[in-house]
Amino acid sequence: MSTQGYEEELRSERSYVAGLYARLDAERARVKGEYNAALRGTGGTPMERDVQVRASAKEAKRLAVADNGLCFGRLDTLSGDHSYIGRIGLFDEENDYEPVLLDWRAPASRAFYVATAASPENMRRRRQFHTRGRKVVDFTDEVLGRPGGDERGDAALLAAVNAPRGDGMRDIVATIQAEQDEIIRLDHPGVLVIEGGPGTGKTVVALHRVAYLLYTQRERMERHGVLVVGPNPAFLNHIGRVLPSLGESDVVFMTAGDLVPGLHVTAEDTPEAARLKGSLKILDVLAAAIADRQRLPEHPLLIQLGDVMVRIDAETAEWARDEARASGLPHNEARAVFTEIVTYVLTERAIGRIGRGWLTRKDREAWEQLRADLLSQLAEDDKFTAALDELWPILTPETLLAPLYSSPERLRAAGGDQALWRADGDAWTVSDVPLLDELVDLLGRDTAADKAAEQAAERERRTEAEYAGGVMDILRLDHAEMDEDLLVRADDLLHAGALADRFVERDTRDLAERAAADRDWTYRHVVVDEAQELSEMDWRVLMRRCPGRSFTVVGDLAQRRSAAGARSWAEMLEPYVPSRYVYRSLTVNYRTPAEIMAVAAALLAEFAPGVAPSESVRATGVRPWSRQVTEDELPAAIEEFVRDEAGRDGTSVVIGPPGVPGAVVPSETKGLEFDAVLVVEPMRILADGPRGAAELYVALTRATQRLGVLHQGPLPRSLTGLAETGTPAKTGSQRLT
């Protein structure tokens, strides 16, 4: 294309994209108007207006994200037609809703990502726009189907992967590659496993798959939303803007430690304790621990009932316990059965003694009256309540598990390993979360407490209804005396009770807030990242959260650090979806340059010889370096790296074992990426056995541009390929010759 032809095309594209933004602004103004009208109470019933407010707010969020790269490409067909591709879809309402911009997830957009020179998908040309704000700066064209033509997207892809990193993960909507697109659009309703080495884009592919599913199955998914589970809060913060940037907000982000609402993780288990808690064998320990709290009295418990003394002996308690267990109810709910049997025995004994000589069963009315009196006495008898609490206590997951951990005797009684013992039993760890969640179902609810809560809620509702009645009286004022904008019509309110319901029962939280606070919430789809770290018990929690078994599972078995984690995907998934999950692998490394990957691959070959490293899509010519320092020199060397990187674009991090000044431990960087990485004391990281090797592998593969290593003792044998240097600053940009 000549320079003049290019300039004319550029002006034309700028004009078209400017027109798309004008349509976007008009659409946003329309939605804003509907939102404000609903807030003012114009049109429809109160419930209809409330629905409109929510819908308009959601649509406004979707349209807002399109300010950033609304349109990023164009496809030309062999017949001469063309389509524009963007973050969202826009339509010409005056021309039978003809699409003027295709959503990247629409079937018609697929060729933009998968067409190649060898397989052009009936396309003649692919054009990619480079934008700054709302303006098209320039564009690049790729003519498809020519003999000897290159594969698509190299220039745009390399520009994206070489760009300095910011504070969070970016979407790849403009540079999705063919192998990624096939996974994103995969039509599989169940469990999809995506495995890939560091930098293969498995996380961002999973997130784009969520956006695709929400686009194609919105009616099925939007009421219950999507759960994304990641390894740590830093990772969730890193990926948190990807889905909002694609216009999707009905997504809940959690770590495994957040799956029980209100629980705070403050401690870390030993590897052995984590392994024990992660195994399904812990279920037997939990069941035995509950049974151990269902006690028989060592000595009869005396209860004053009327004028006589009755007792709860071991025989009575055993009968009641057997009946309660046989009911199949959870522990707390089975207490009613236990109480019923004990109450029956005590009242029968008391009636027999009190009525001796004057009362027989034939005098049924007197008999039932006496029983009712005795039942009332028992209900108010503190000693009787204390006896029930001793023999069949109401338990919460926390009040069962904390004493179990802190008591060697209770651990032995439940068949638990003494490795589970700890002095601070209620200092919860991530491995405790699935146990506490399991106990919610094993223990059941405190029915008495639930009933009291319901009664309190009913009292509050009645109070609000009385208040609403007062409001109704005020609304009977002459409408002419009231400001029209403030007027609430009495016939909209129906009656005082309905008005009270509007005040009391309306939940104004959005879906993500409601789901995150509700332990019983179920999701339509769940994404599990770093899934190789999850234990058998973790998977039980997640399967409860998604009864439909719709999962995108993301991981790399070679990076497993948890002793309770997956050694194979079948090991974790077969119990729930036997032979019904689909496996896909990503093999191209878009993050790690070939020079750095060569160092990491040597380590991988030592601790996971059967795993093939991913193939880097680029080489930078910058060689990873190492530097040996003394203990006294180490802090200054770290500061030198930090100071040098502060003068460059992008991000950097220092990774090392616990205790290294200014460093984060490798596990806290899982799933993250940085332009430059300094790994400190790799031998100390490696010293933690198989887990240490996986952590060092994670540390080495976080860098997108530059990698340095500081060490006091000898380097691990697998890292001898690093260029030894005197100072990191001199070699941080040294190119290979």
Side-chain angles (χ1 to χ4, degrees), residues 231-232 268-269 271 274 530 532-534 556-567 607 658 665-670 688-696 698:
N232 53 57
E268 184 174 356
D269 278 314
E530 299 294 342
Q532 73 278 353
E533 304 297 344
L534 299 189
D556 178 11
L557 295 176
Q559 296 187 56
R560 178 182 63 85
R561 68 182 292 271
S562 171
R567 289 168 173 79
F607 80 92
V665 295
S667 61
E668 293 181 3
T669 66
K670 297 199 78 168
D688 197 11
R691 181 168 77 166
E695 294 212 326
L696 182 56
V698 168

Side-chain angles (χ1 to χ4, degrees), residues 319-337:
W319 177 29
R321 184 183 67 177
D322 291 345
E323 290 292 328
R325 289 177 176 177
S327 71
L329 294 171
H331 169 85
N332 290 333
E333 295 168 35
R335 172 167 159 143
V337 178

Side-chain angles (χ1 to χ4, degrees), residues 598-617:
V599 176
L603 173 64
L604 182 66
E606 277 200 0
F607 80 92
V611 179
S614 55
E615 182 179 352
S616 296
V617 76

Side-chain angles (χ1 to χ4, degrees), residues 638-703:
I638 294 174
E639 290 178 8
E640 184 179 0
F641 167 83
V642 173
R643 188 168 55 250
D644 180 53
E645 289 299 331
R648 301 173 183 261
D649 290 334
T651 59
S652 63
V653 69
V654 179
I655 304 175
V660 172
V664 297
V665 295
S667 61
E668 293 181 3
T669 66
K670 297 199 78 168
L672 308 184
E673 56 183 27
F674 307 87
D675 291 270
V677 173
L678 179 67
V679 178
V680 182
E681 296 287 41
M683 189 63 87
R684 284 178 54 195
I685 297 174
L686 199 60
D688 197 11
R691 181 168 77 166
E695 294 212 326
L696 182 56
Y697 182 62
V698 168
L700 294 173
T701 53
R702 299 305 96 193

Side-chain angles (χ1 to χ4, degrees), residues 104 128 146 512 558 628:
W104 67 275
Q128 288 189 312
R146 295 184 306 172
Q628 188 166 17

